[in-house]
């Protein structure tokens, strides 16, 4: 897992009505549905900013890193006309996909302030 790229998955409650899972673009620069537009993040980047890349709402993970390969295995072509140029692949926002994404989350070791534990 150390060398595999991660994508940042964002499952905020206010986005739960959207058809596809939202991923972060490269360099924390915005959001996208298509994995082809999602940024690749290294384990070192995620570890260095663990509290930024990992967030919970209550007991539920809403922002976290997952191996790109996991997202790709769950992906499919988007429905026509929803995304510019019908770009894909995308991960459909279903309870089963959300469960699988959360199960694959990479959670860096952090303390209560978000600093890495020693």
């Amino acid at each position: 897992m150390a060398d595999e790229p991660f994508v940042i998955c964002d499952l905020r409650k206010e986005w739960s009505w959207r058809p596809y899972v939202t991923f972060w673009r490269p360099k924390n620069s915005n959001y996208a549905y298509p994995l082809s537009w999602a940024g690749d993040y290294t384990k070192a980047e995620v570890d260095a900013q663990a509290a930024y890349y990992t967030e919970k709402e209550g007991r539920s993970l809403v922002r976290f890193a997952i191996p790109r390969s996991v997202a790709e295995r769950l992906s499919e072509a988007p429905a026509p006309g929803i995304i510019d140029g019908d770009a894909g692949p995308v991960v459909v926002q279903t309870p089963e996909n959300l469960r699988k994404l959360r199960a694959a989350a990479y959670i860096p070791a952090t303390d209560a302030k978000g600093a890495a534990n020693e």
Side-chain angles (χ1 to χ4, degrees):
M1 185 187 317
D3 294 335
E4 182 174 1
F6 290 92
V7 291
I8 307 301
C9 184
D10 202 321
L11 303 177
R12 284 181 251 182
K13 188 174 184 176
E14 62 266 25
W15 292 355
S16 64
W17 59 271
R18 296 182 180 197
Y20 305 122
V21 171
T22 301
F23 296 96
W24 287 19
R25 289 183 183 239
K27 300 178 184 176
N28 311 323
S29 65
N30 217 318
Y31 311 100
Y33 295 141
L35 285 168
S36 60
W37 297 352
D40 285 334
Y41 295 81
T42 65
K43 182 180 182 298
E45 288 173 310
V46 174
D47 287 343
Q49 295 186 326
Y52 184 62
Y53 292 123
T54 309
E55 183 179 324
K56 286 185 174 184
E57 287 180 358
R59 302 176 98 198
S60 185
L61 278 170
V62 294
R63 180 172 59 232
F64 50 91
I66 60 166
R68 179 177 277 278
S69 63
V70 171
E72 288 172 349
R73 280 194 302 272
L74 298 173
S75 69
E76 59 188 67
I82 294 179
I83 300 170
D84 291 345
D86 295 330
V90 297
V91 177
V92 177
Q93 192 154 207
T94 66
E96 181 68 10
N97 281 346
L98 299 183
R99 184 191 65 72
K100 289 177 180 178
L101 291 168
R102 286 184 173 111
Y106 170 69
I107 309 297
T110 59
D111 64 18
K113 295 178 185 175
N117 286 329
E118 300 191 21

